[in-house]
Amino acid sequence: MLRVSDSAPAAQPVLVLRLSNRSGQTAAYTETLKEHGLNLIECFTLEAAQDAMQNGCRVGLLIVTQESELAQLDKCEPFVSNNRISWVGLVAQELISMPRMREFIGEHLFNFITIPADLDHIVLTLRHAWGMAFMRDGQHNAAPAPVTNGSDFVMVGQTSQMQQLFNQLQKVARTDASVLITGPSGTGKEIAALSIHRQSARREAPFVAVNCGAIAPQLFQSELFGYEKGAFTGASQRKIGRIEAAQGGTLFLDEIGDMPFDMQVNLLRFLQEKTIERVGGNDTLEIDVRVIAATHIDLAEAVKQGRFREDLYYRINVVCISMPPLADRGQDIEDIAKHYFAKFASMHNRSLRGFSKAAMNALLSHSWPGNVRELVNRVQRATVMAEGRFIQPEDLGLDRSSDQGQLMSLEDARAAAERMMIRRALSQSRNQISRAASLLGVSRVTLYRLIEKYNIRPDMATTARPPFLNNSTPDLEAHK
């Protein structure tokens, strides 16, 4: 009698997809596997297999026994190429020589077994497939559930900076306080704003995003507040403004530092009175919205230079949340890259299996001036351009030499560390030299000297807040 290995992963569900409902030798295989404790979930249609995915299967067994079933491989291809499952084929011996079967096995299966097969061989292969799937997707590498904006981008991260950020977002979501999100371009400020909205009591109401840098100055008034029919030439009908469209929900003002100065007073009046009037109208409308603003520039410096109203700055800056630059997030780079690889590979190149070691080293070595947005773009480019089974540095548009791991001198390493910490301290203290010097444990004179030495400008300061520089929680009280 055939013997099943005692080390079989009996508790792990194995998704079995048959391309026909015919009984025979393969049915005997699956029945014997079940009798020996394997948790098989058998499906005879793709729809049933897709429903069975919720059982958390990491391994699949695809059974192909008839030449007539080869025509179904095209329909199976998108499903079997799912990166979450390692598929093993149980294939009739006579089908192996057929080009379509060979192509499918080479591109989409972890391994294959020909029929007739030894039952121990099947179990051993399934166990190997499960082990490789666990190494790829296992819990010890799993990042927290990503925060999605419902479209193309998500927040992925398990570093201390991101855990602190997730905690801050959760805290401010419980309140209705105005929030200012700061950070370099490409760090995901809009996704952070949407995360606040979706965790708040306003989650069922609209989330309306306005890019203040993309609206022509002469159109700002009508875009934000709307207009009545006949208010100006071309106003053939009433139009609801962005503020009114967000009624009951959240208004996100992205790049608020680019808002024209003369419009800032109108926005301030709305924030104070919670009412608006459409252009060309006389009716005063009460509006209930929460306002979240974001900027990549230093608004405090803009206030000093007279480019941004001080009263508006304090009105929107009740709670300030800083987005960390990608270069400071270490392991998150790999997690983000893998997340978007799974997304884009299924769209552009299902034969890809992942990143080569050289490609991952190049990603980890890159300085990421464009932050997460740049990483997402490079991964998408790579899934389109890659010709092999694994992405290479050149597919990402990165230099292969970046994976050589050359050591910098101690002097250069110290300079880089000092430069990074100074920028963080300036960001944490909002460019107040005395407070930044106190955080760093140096005198003001020393800090001034280091700022001059490294040619650091306040708007270059990174916005990450490491635990030893930020032991406080966001202040949820309004500025006086």
Side-chain angles (χ1 to χ4, degrees), residues 331-380:
Q331 180 61 37
D332 286 346
I333 296 172
E334 181 174 348
D335 292 337
I336 295 170
K338 288 181 177 179
H339 173 85
Y340 283 101
F341 169 81
K343 172 184 173 64
F344 294 130
S346 64
M347 296 167 54
H348 304 306
N349 192 342
R350 295 191 181 99
S351 65
L352 280 173
R353 289 295 177 262
F355 297 90
S356 68
K357 183 176 180 181
M360 188 55 69
N361 285 341
L363 288 174
L364 295 173
S365 301
H366 189 54
S367 60
W368 299 112
N371 292 292
V372 178
R373 185 182 294 119
E374 179 188 356
L375 175 55
V376 173
N377 288 345
R378 287 188 183 274
V379 172
Q380 184 171 23

Side-chain angles (χ1 to χ4, degrees), residues 211-221 224 255-268 306-309 312:
N211 188 334
C212 298
I215 301 176
Q218 63 271 22
L219 299 178
F220 240 100
Q221 184 81 7
L224 284 186
E255 301 304 346
I256 194 170
D258 295 331
M259 179 177 287
F261 193 83
D262 57 351
M263 268 302 301
Q264 294 175 22
V265 66
N266 294 336
L267 177 62
L268 177 64
R307 295 185 289 111
F308 199 84
R309 293 182 62 97
L312 177 58

Side-chain angles (χ1 to χ4, degrees), residues 40-260:
L40 302 187
I41 303 174
E42 292 192 83
C43 303
F44 296 96
T45 65
L46 279 176
E47 292 75 13
Q50 288 168 344
D51 291 340
M53 285 283 289
Q54 64 185 356
N55 290 285
C57 297
R58 280 199 175 98
V59 174
L61 183 65
L62 177 68
I63 301 177
V64 188
T65 59
Q66 304 290 331
E67 184 176 355
S68 60
E69 296 169 9
L70 298 183
Q72 300 182 49
L73 292 180
D74 289 341
K75 292 183 179 179
C76 289
E77 199 166 37
F79 178 70
V80 172
S81 63
N82 187 309
N83 199 45
R84 288 176 50 198
I85 293 185
S86 292
W87 286 91
V88 173
L90 192 58
V91 184
Q93 177 70 47
E94 60 270 19
L95 300 182
I96 296 299
S97 60
M98 297 185 177
R100 181 62 181 114
M101 192 73 250
R102 295 169 69 92
E103 177 188 22
F104 190 89
I105 291 173
E107 290 188 1
H108 301 294
L109 301 188
F110 168 77
N111 205 340
F112 75 98
I113 303 168
T114 57
I115 302 172
D118 179 78
L119 208 58
D120 272 339
H121 186 198
I122 297 175
V123 172
L124 183 62
T125 305
L126 291 175
R127 181 175 177 80
H128 188 196
W130 184 89
M132 293 301 293
F134 180 82
M135 292 298 294
R136 184 186 65 232
D137 305 320
Q139 295 298 323
H140 61 291
N141 285 328
V147 179
T148 177
N149 69 345
S151 57
D152 294 332
F153 299 100
V154 298
M155 292 177 70
V156 177
Q158 55 182 331
T159 56
S160 59
Q161 296 98 319
M162 291 305 290
Q163 292 305 308
Q164 181 184 10
L165 173 63
F166 293 147
N167 183 49
Q168 291 177 333
L169 296 178
Q170 187 178 38
K171 283 184 178 180
V172 298
R174 302 172 191 155
T175 77
D176 242 1
S178 297
V179 179
L180 177 64
I181 303 176
T182 65
S185 296
T187 49
K189 295 187 287 294
E190 181 172 350
I191 304 174
L194 186 56
S195 174
I196 294 172
H197 171 75
R198 289 187 169 174
Q199 296 180 74
S200 74
R202 298 176 179 268
R203 66 179 68 90
E204 301 299 329
F207 176 88
V208 177
V210 181
N211 188 334
C212 298
I215 301 176
Q218 63 271 22
L219 299 178
F220 240 100
Q221 184 81 7
S222 58
E223 281 292 320
L224 284 186
F225 297 96
Y227 55 81
E228 298 286 356
K229 180 179 180 180
F232 49 81
T233 303
S236 57
Q237 59 184 5
R238 171 188 289 174
K239 178 182 177 181
I240 300 300
R242 306 287 187 89
I243 295 176
E244 190 174 350
Q247 180 71 275
T250 303
L251 177 68
F252 175 58
L253 299 174
D254 196 10
E255 301 304 346
I256 194 170
D258 295 331
M259 179 177 287

